[in-house]
Amino acid sequence: MSGPRRPLDFGRWALLAWCAFSYVFLLSPLVIVLIGSLSGGEGDYAAVVFPPETLTLRWYGRIPSDQWQALGVSFVLGTVAALVAALIGIPAALGLVRSNIRGKFLMAAIFRAPLQIPAVVTGFAFLQLYYLILRGTGIELPGTFAGLLIGHVFIGIPFVVGAVTAVLQRFDTRLEEAALILGASRQRVMWRVTLPAILPGVYAGCLYAFMVSFADVPVSIFLTSSSTTTYPVALFFALENDFNPAILASASVVIIFSLAMLLVAQRLIGLDALLRSGGGGGRG
Amino acid sequence: MMKSFFGLLGVTAVIAGLQAETAIAQERFDGVTLRVGTFGGPWRDSQANIIAKKFEELGGTIEFVLGSPQANMARLIASQGTTPPIDMIEILDANLPVMIELDLLMPIDLSKVPNTQYLAPFQYDEMKVASWATQEGICYNPGAYAELGIDAPTRYQDLADPRLNARVIIPDINSGGGLANFAALAYAGGGDGENVAPAIEMIRGFGPVGFWMQGADLVTGMQTGDLLAGVSHAGWCIRAKNAGVDAAFVHPIINDDVVGVSKDGWLGIVKGTPNYDAAVWYVNEFIDSVFQSDFAAVSGVVPVNSISLGELANDPILASMMELDPAAIATQLRIDYSTVDIGTWSDAWNRGLTR
């Protein structure tokens, strides 16, 4: 059925080259980290050199134990922060898109505010707030997991609100009207029509919130304690003193883990659905 | 009679001495959790392996509050009015005036810090005790210098050789050693803490390839051969050497009387700490020779304890790069940050140097 293949003209070559450049641009840092983690060297010291002169896996055995612990903290923190951000962000997005209340634009701006405040300021502001609460109520948040979680939910909310809002704005409300006409209650319409339709946006928002939480340094650095140190903060501390291939080995483990998680997500959820969430996901 | 009197006196003195020693040895910290504000990574690990273990044997627990001294200072500022979250804190020389001005520190009972006997007098007073130092200077590749026919550097100005153009790297003013080296360049160029223009002129003259934020940039650049020299502390040069790079370190001549630059780290006890005795104990242990020697080897810093300085002299690489003579260390350039305005330095840097 397919017609004769067209010869590649200049435009198609340019497009292919641009695509190739994009892939190289996106993947080269990862490749450099992965290959750099195999740098050889004698004794306990080695400088990171790319490409490595000799290859070894020994740095993977020298990843400090605190970085493994921090990785666990970051994973749990990112997951819980994304879920809590979703619990706050989904109703917020519904309200911002569906309601006609006054000051809607101001509210929308408030939900975007965490993106507009420098993260390091956010971290210090939360630290001050926590001590204010401690002085006033005795509730201890500085250095606790709860305190860290609140900060990460704060920076994750705009991503959930943004992703869900994008889907809702393209959502065909006639589907809800049809369900209502057919006798479904408002609650049933919400659970059986609206929420399934906006799920790709929810997934996308949660994924972004998780990634922002997982990679954050400036907020976490003020809110962590020795038992709640997150992975990027642990890496940051390690980098302050040295930069050997063990750090790249540690980062490589995370890259491989992330790729594996993406594959699992693709199997369970379907990343193509996430990619479509910016388009007509609501019509799905 | 007289003989037996002195004999009795001697026995009494020995018993009293033993009792005092036992009292010190038996000082315990059961149930005490001491919060130590310090850097993370190997910096923390070294303390955990030696001091924290010793503290645990005395019944207590060490909790490390990790972060840069600036971040930990921010924690103290935010916590004012409550129990401070840190009992003993590491401080950089540039932050010390601010911490004292903000009344965040309390006096240290130096009678309980006997290890100060191994420090030089300028390294302690009632508000602070020196903990480590970095020696700032020039790390260079002697083999590459020889190939190019360039003499080994002795002064910062030697980095302005045209053959080194775009092969030299300088610390960014916001990096760990940035302020100390920027000031040192100013002094070396005839300026001082108030007149940093000579530093700007000198850096322009170097034609540096860039400004590093992490000393690892220097190590990697020298390993790949892209860099022939850089300004850093001796610890980074030692790491380069240990990683197989042909590297040597020079303590630059600042003027006729001063050779070398020292950036000092300090320990302070936080005002309002509920664990004062334990904090003082930690200060004493931090400057103990056992810890200082291990810490220097792990972190690449120069110990402050004179016994440790002597021990490091046995390491050929450390001895070749670090100044380990206490008398020479005492005369190195140190910046008194209480007399300078760092903000004007940053302004001068931003105006004078394009990146």
Side-chain angles (χ1 to χ4, degrees):
Chain A
M1 290 294 287
S2 60
R5 294 185 68 178
R6 284 189 304 156
L8 288 173
D9 57 19
F10 175 77
R12 283 171 64 82
W13 275 113
L15 186 63
L16 277 175
W18 186 248
C19 288
F21 168 77
S22 302
Y23 278 111
V24 169
F25 178 72
L26 289 171
L27 293 176
S28 54
L30 305 185
V31 172
I32 286 173
V33 168
L34 287 166
I35 296 176
S37 70
L38 305 174
S39 291
E42 293 174 5
D44 294 335
Y45 301 95
V48 174
V49 178
F50 188 87
E53 290 160 0
T54 55
L55 298 177
T56 177
L57 283 169
R58 71 189 173 103
W59 299 108
Y60 283 82
R62 296 193 178 196
I63 298 172
S65 59
D66 64 320
Q67 287 181 19
W68 290 112
Q69 186 194 333
L71 193 56
V73 170
S74 278
F75 184 73
V76 173
L77 177 68
T79 305
V80 179
L83 292 175
V84 177
L87 289 177
I88 298 171
I90 295 168
L94 282 165
L96 288 172
V97 174
R98 298 283 175 86
S99 72
N100 292 313
I101 57 171
R102 282 188 176 185
K104 208 164 87 169
F105 291 110
L106 180 64
M107 287 180 193
I110 289 171
F111 278 101
R112 278 197 306 271
L115 295 176
Q116 289 154 348
I117 304 169
V120 71
V121 175
T122 301
F124 187 61
F126 268 102
L127 187 69
Q128 284 199 306
L129 175 67
Y130 291 169
Y131 277 109
L132 198 66
I133 292 169
L134 180 64
R135 280 192 286 271
T137 66
I139 297 171
E140 195 159 337
L141 289 171
T144 64
F145 185 82
L148 188 60
L149 177 64
I150 293 169
H152 280 234
V153 169
F154 180 80
I155 57 175
I157 283 176
F159 295 94
V160 177
V161 172
V164 177
T165 299
V167 174
L168 278 170
Q169 282 171 339
R170 293 167 177 269
F171 179 67
D172 188 348
T173 53
R174 287 177 299 182
L175 289 171
E176 291 175 322
E177 289 166 12
L180 286 169
I181 290 166
L182 291 170
S185 66
R186 285 203 172 275
Q187 280 182 335
R188 192 172 167 82
V189 169
M190 173 59 73
W191 284 107
R192 300 299 296 272
V193 178
T194 312
L195 280 179
I198 64 170
L199 262 184
V202 174
Y203 289 145
C206 286
L207 192 63
Y208 292 140
F210 176 86
M211 289 191 295
V212 167
S213 164
F214 196 83
D216 174 76
V217 170
V219 173
S220 306
I221 207 160
F222 287 104
L223 304 180
T224 54
S225 65
S226 56
S227 59
T228 60
T229 301
T230 60
Y231 179 72
V233 170
L235 270 194
F236 180 76
F237 288 151
L239 279 168
E240 276 187 320
N241 291 285
D242 203 354
F243 185 51
N244 64 38
I247 292 171
L248 295 188
S250 173
S252 298
V253 169
V254 172
I255 290 170
I256 294 165
F257 173 76
S258 303
L259 291 174
M261 290 296 291
L262 281 176
L263 286 175
V264 171
Q266 164 65 17
R267 285 279 177 141
L268 298 179
I269 304 167
L271 289 177
D272 47 345
L274 295 187
L275 294 172
R276 285 203 306 269
S277 66
R283 296 176 201 277
Chain B
M1 186 71 181
M2 207 62 167
K3 199 174 175 183
S4 64
F5 171 74
F6 279 114
L8 183 65
L9 198 66
V11 169
T12 309
V14 168
I15 291 170
L18 282 173
Q19 280 178 334
E21 200 167 282
T22 309
I24 291 169
Q26 285 180 342
E27 185 181 19
R28 290 191 59 84
F29 299 103
D30 293 307
V32 173
T33 298
L34 183 72
R35 287 112 7 116
V36 174
T38 186
F39 294 98
W43 201 276
R44 181 272 317 272
D45 296 343
S46 188
Q47 294 174 64
N49 291 337
I50 296 177
I51 309 178
K53 278 186 182 165
K54 206 168 173 181
F55 194 66
E56 282 170 14
E57 286 169 9
L58 297 174
T61 309
I62 300 289
E63 186 181 303
F64 293 104
V65 181
L66 303 178
S68 66
Q70 296 93 321
N72 281 336
M73 186 170 74
R75 285 188 167 103
L76 294 181
I77 291 168
S79 69
Q80 281 181 318
T82 63
T83 305
I86 298 169
D87 301 304
M88 200 232 55
I89 186 169
E90 284 210 57
I91 310 161
L92 295 178
D93 44 10
N95 306 127
L96 194 58
V98 180
M99 294 203 65
I100 290 173
E101 192 180 333
L102 293 176
D103 201 21
L104 297 173
L105 302 176
M106 66 189 295
I108 303 168
D109 182 354
L110 293 173
S111 69
K112 293 180 178 173
V113 190
N115 281 328
T116 49
Q117 66 183 297
Y118 303 112
L119 271 56
F122 73 90
Q123 290 177 314
Y124 61 92
D125 61 34
E126 68 164 0
M127 297 306 287
K128 63 188 188 297
V129 173
S131 49
W132 51 265
T134 55
Q135 292 176 347
E136 311 290 335
I138 302 166
C139 182
Y140 72 104
N141 182 326
Y145 263 56
E147 278 180 26
L148 292 170
I150 307 173
D151 292 334
T154 57
R155 299 170 178 269
Y156 284 122
Q157 286 89 332
D158 294 335
L159 294 175
D161 189 305
R163 287 167 289 184
L164 297 174
N165 192 37
R167 309 292 294 274
V168 171
I169 195 164
I170 305 293
D172 188 279
I173 195 168
N174 297 308
S175 68
L179 289 172
N181 279 300
F182 185 60
L185 287 164
Y187 277 93
D192 55 30
E194 290 183 4
N195 174 23
V196 292
I200 301 289
E201 286 306 311
M202 210 185 294
I203 293 171
R204 280 183 182 152
F206 297 162
V209 69
F211 303 98
W212 60 257
M213 284 300 291
Q214 296 284 345
D217 294 351
L218 169 72
V219 178
T220 303
M222 288 185 73
Q223 174 104 14
T224 58
D226 295 325
L227 295 174
L228 301 185
V231 174
S232 76
H233 74 74
W236 287 113
C237 209
I238 290 166
R239 283 195 187 108
K241 184 87 176 172
N242 285 330
V245 178
D246 186 11
F249 189 80
V250 166
H251 299 272
I253 298 167
I254 305 300
N255 58 40
D256 292 342
D257 302 318
V258 179
V259 177
V261 182
S262 182
K263 189 183 95 170
D264 300 326
W266 299 91
L267 304 174
I269 295 182
V270 175
K271 195 172 189 178
T273 169
N275 302 311
Y276 180 80
D277 289 341
V280 174
W281 177 90
Y282 200 95
V283 170
N284 189 54
E285 290 301 317
F286 201 108
I287 58 171
D288 184 79
S289 62
V290 173
F291 174 71
Q292 286 273 305
S293 298
D294 179 83
F295 189 53
V298 169
S299 309
V301 298
V302 181
V304 292
N305 184 302
S306 56
I307 295 174
S308 299
L309 286 170
E311 287 174 3
L312 293 195
N314 297 323
D315 183 315
I317 293 179
L318 294 183
S320 70
M321 298 214 192
M322 288 179 174
E323 177 56 78
L324 299 172
D325 174 13
I329 290 172
T331 61
Q332 290 179 323
L333 178 68
R334 287 178 174 77
I335 310 303
D336 180 358
Y337 289 94
S338 66
T339 63
V340 299
D341 181 359
I342 294 172
T344 60
W345 291 9
S346 295
D347 289 344
W349 176 281
N350 292 331
R351 280 197 308 268
L353 296 168
T354 53
R355 304 179 188 204

